[in-house]
């Protein structure tokens, strides 16, 4: 296989996506079910048609790309997502879709009889509606419409309104006849980068548990209100933010992490004691007991903080999924393929969430990681080498060949 033309093939596709959702700071904002993600999916359709592939869109807006004339009963699915976090990078998700298109192009070019479809799932990031993997949850049937009805984006639009506008259905067609699902993704951490390795074969995926904490203090005059009389919601929030970090550090031996990623304060002006704060809390891990210890500590100590300060609060669950162990037979098969190609790899967990978590509910799922520069991701400086996408895609093709024997 001639890698040079593969590099130019991938570069040409990457360049087509590149400008979409560009921010002044050099990153991209392509929020799920928003105009920029629509443009990414339309670009995928243009690219695919240009390559002579057939494109279908399911009723949740996920895009499927296949080799038109091929008719198979079941398919291997390769994919990822095309949305991003605000001011994010251009490689998160996109590398996985590019990998699928590269593999599909090899299958077409070398006339291999391997049933493959490429998928680009909608709205994988939780940034748009507060819940991750919406597109893949819908097409694998793992989201309830009662949950969907609560989801609103940053502009206050409900997901159901957006679906109405686009003509999508909250009860979409559930994917059938799937042999397995393979996703190539940037690691978004530093393990591969620090080890100088090109390939990770993922064993498990830390699933997020997300909570909203509304702190209901009292808005007062910042000049006339003595310190001992205050119900300062922001000072209470400051204690909770440090508590989340402390609990995360305590459980980090079990690869658990805990982050306060959202803080909204009202009225957020200089001369008023803050009356209201909303915190968004993200707890992740691969060890359920460890995650539960963080959660129990958070609930207990938050209650103590608020009681001591005489402040009311509301603790709401946004989403809660369990860590996912990927299919051991797929992992072993990917390892055999890498060894056959003399490509070094390391087995490793994923701290980030992925569509593979949802696909694992309906089929055997596997993931391949490639490094991103200094492990930076969800950041305008996110960067990955497309030649690592080629390396990872060669492992996927070798895996598919073996599976299709
Ligand atoms: O947030 C995540 O874990 C992933 O990047 N969607
Ligand atoms: Mn991401
Ligand atoms: Mn991603």
């Amino acid at each position: 296989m001639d890698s040079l033309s593969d590099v130019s093939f991938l570069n040409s596709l990457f360049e087509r996506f590149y400008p979409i959702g560009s921010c002044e700071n050099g990153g991209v904002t392509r929020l799920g079910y928003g105009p920029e993600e629509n443009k990414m999916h339309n670009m995928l359709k243009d690219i695919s048609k240009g390559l002579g592939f057939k494109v279908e869109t399911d009723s949740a807006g996920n895009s499927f790309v296949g080799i038109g004339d091929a008719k198979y009963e079941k398919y291997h699915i390769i994919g990822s997502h095309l949305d991003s976090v605000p001011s994010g990078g251009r490689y998160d998700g996109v590398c996985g879709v590019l990998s699928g298109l590269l593999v599909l192009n090899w299958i077409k070019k070398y006339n291999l009889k391997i049933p493959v479809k490429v998928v680009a799932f909608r709205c994988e990031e939780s940034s748009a509606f507060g819940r991750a993997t919406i597109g893949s949850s819908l097409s694998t049937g793992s989201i309830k419409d009662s949950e969907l009805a609560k989801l609103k984006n940053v502009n206050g639009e409900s997901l159901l309104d957006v679906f109405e506008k686009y003509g999508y259905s909250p009860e979409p067609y559930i994917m059938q006849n799937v042999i397995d699902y393979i996703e190539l993704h940037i690691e978004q951490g530093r393990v591969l980068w620090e080890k100088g390795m090109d390939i990770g074969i993922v064993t498990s995926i830390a699933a997020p548990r997300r909570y909203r904490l509304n702190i209901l203090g009292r808005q007062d005059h910042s000049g006339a209100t003595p310190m001992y009389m205050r119900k300062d919601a922001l000072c209470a929030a400051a204690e909770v933010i440090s508590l989340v970090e402390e609990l995360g550090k305590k459980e980090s031996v079990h690869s658990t992490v805990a982050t306060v990623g959202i803080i909204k304060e009202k009225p957020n002006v200089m001369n008023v004691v803050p009356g209201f704060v909303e915190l968004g809390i993200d707890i992740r891990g691969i060890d359920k007991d460890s995650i539960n210890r963080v959660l129990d500590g958070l609930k207990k100590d938050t209650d103590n903080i608020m009681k001591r300060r005489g402040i009311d609060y509301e603790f709401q669950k946004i989403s809660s999924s369990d860590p996912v162990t990927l299919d051991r037979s797929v992992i072993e098969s990917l390892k055999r393929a890498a060894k056959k190609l003399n490509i070094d790899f390391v087995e490793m967990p994923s701290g980030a969430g992925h569509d593979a978590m949802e696909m694992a509910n309906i089929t055997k799922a596997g993931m391949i990681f490639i490094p991103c520069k200094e492990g930076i991701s969800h950041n305008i400086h996110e960067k990955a080498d497309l030649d690592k996408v080629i390396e990872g895609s060669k492992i996927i093709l070798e895996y598919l060949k073996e599976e299709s024997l």
Side-chain angles (χ1 to χ4, degrees):
M1 229 168 293
D2 161 14
S3 268
L4 199 63
S5 64
D6 293 334
V7 173
S8 53
F9 173 79
L10 277 190
N11 271 321
S12 65
L13 303 192
F14 185 73
E15 291 309 315
R16 304 275 301 271
F17 288 119
Y18 191 93
I20 298 173
S22 291
C23 317
E24 270 161 36
N25 59 15
V28 288
T29 298
R30 302 164 174 166
L31 293 183
Y33 289 117
E36 290 76 19
E37 191 194 43
N38 293 342
K39 284 184 201 145
M40 290 296 279
H41 279 255
N42 291 335
M43 180 54 78
L44 173 64
K45 287 173 187 127
D46 285 354
I47 288 170
S48 304
K49 284 177 191 147
L51 293 169
F53 297 142
K54 197 170 122 227
V55 192
E56 296 158 300
T57 303
D58 77 5
S59 50
N62 300 308
S63 300
F64 291 81
V65 184
I67 296 175
D69 46 6
K71 285 276 165 284
Y72 295 98
E73 212 179 284
K74 290 182 161 234
Y75 285 87
H76 299 280
I77 307 285
I78 306 174
S80 194
H81 61 96
L82 294 173
D83 60 316
S84 79
V85 297
S87 287
R90 288 181 166 82
Y91 296 84
D92 178 355
V94 172
C95 285
V97 175
L98 290 180
S99 164
L101 293 174
L102 181 62
V103 171
L104 208 57
N105 206 44
W106 284 332
I107 287 171
K108 184 162 176 269
K109 195 167 153 186
Y110 302 110
N111 195 22
L112 303 172
K113 300 293 174 219
I114 303 177
V116 168
K117 277 190 183 171
V118 177
V119 64
F121 286 116
R122 297 295 293 247
C123 203
E124 187 275 345
E125 300 291 0
S126 56
S127 318
F129 287 91
R131 190 204 194 272
T133 62
I134 295 180
S136 51
S137 297
L138 282 163
S139 59
T140 57
S142 66
I143 189 167
K144 316 238 176 329
D145 25 7
S146 55
E147 195 188 344
L148 275 179
K150 285 185 245 163
L151 297 176
K152 283 191 186 319
N153 66 15
V154 285
N155 310 322
E157 275 180 303
S158 88
L159 183 70
L160 295 182
D161 292 346
V162 170
F163 269 39
E164 179 92 14
K165 191 167 69 174
Y166 294 158
Y168 295 152
S169 156
E171 276 128 35
Y173 160 75
I174 307 299
M175 273 167 135
Q176 315 281 336
N177 308 321
V178 178
I179 301 170
D180 52 20
Y181 174 75
I182 307 290
E183 181 169 358
L184 179 142
H185 203 288
I186 53 171
E187 179 201 338
Q188 301 184 292
R190 306 178 64 87
V191 170
L192 292 176
W193 180 263
E194 294 200 341
K195 287 179 182 282
M197 302 270 313
D198 290 354
I199 298 290
I201 295 182
V202 182
T203 53
S204 57
I205 303 176
R209 297 213 182 155
R210 290 180 169 134
Y211 295 85
R212 180 177 300 108
L213 173 62
N214 292 332
I215 302 173
L216 313 169
R218 191 184 60 219
Q219 192 167 313
D220 281 318
H221 192 295
S222 68
T225 313
M227 293 308 285
Y228 75 94
M229 291 177 79
R230 296 182 176 201
K231 291 183 184 295
D232 186 326
L234 194 53
C235 291
E239 283 198 69
V240 174
I241 293 166
S242 307
L243 168 66
V244 168
E245 184 190 38
E246 191 193 307
L247 292 166
K249 281 182 176 172
K250 218 154 76 182
E251 291 297 333
S252 57
V253 281
H254 304 284
S255 305
T256 302
V257 291
T259 316
V260 175
I262 293 175
I263 179 163
K264 290 177 191 159
E265 187 254 306
K266 285 183 197 158
N268 202 29
V269 292
M270 190 63 86
N271 61 351
V272 177
V273 175
F276 172 83
V277 170
E278 174 192 331
L279 295 182
I281 302 167
D282 175 287
I283 304 168
R284 310 201 197 191
I286 50 176
D287 175 329
K288 265 168 86 172
D289 294 340
S290 173
I291 297 171
N292 288 332
R293 283 193 294 272
V294 171
L295 204 45
D296 296 345
L298 177 61
K299 287 178 179 168
K300 186 169 72 50
D301 295 351
T302 296
D303 196 51
N304 294 338
I305 292 167
M306 300 307 164
K307 279 201 175 94
R308 173 167 38 84
R309 288 175 171 271
I311 290 180
D312 288 335
Y313 68 98
E314 296 156 350
F315 207 68
Q316 296 158 354
K317 181 166 75 177
I318 300 171
S319 67
S320 168
S321 26
D322 286 335
V324 171
T325 304
L326 294 177
D327 185 279
R328 183 40 65 179
S329 68
V330 172
I331 293 168
E332 292 306 321
S333 196
L334 287 170
K335 286 165 62 178
R336 276 196 302 277
K339 282 176 190 155
K340 198 167 168 192
L341 297 167
N342 294 318
I343 296 176
D344 252 352
F345 63 87
V346 60
E347 283 192 49
M348 58 192 290
S350 168
H354 299 287
D355 290 309
M357 296 184 299
E358 305 305 339
M359 286 300 287
N361 291 324
I362 65 163
T363 189
K364 302 187 296 182
M367 285 194 79
I368 286 188
F369 271 171
I370 61 169
C372 46
K373 191 166 176 289
E374 292 162 31
I376 294 172
S377 179
H378 283 189
N379 180 307
I380 61 169
H381 301 299
E382 180 185 279
K383 188 126 181 46
D385 291 343
L386 295 183
D387 56 6
K388 305 281 189 303
V389 175
I390 296 172
E391 216 175 356
S393 305
K394 283 180 182 171
I395 295 173
I396 296 174
L397 184 66
E398 195 51 47
Y399 161 86
L400 293 173
K401 283 180 185 168
E402 190 183 298
E403 290 301 301
S404 304
L405 289 178

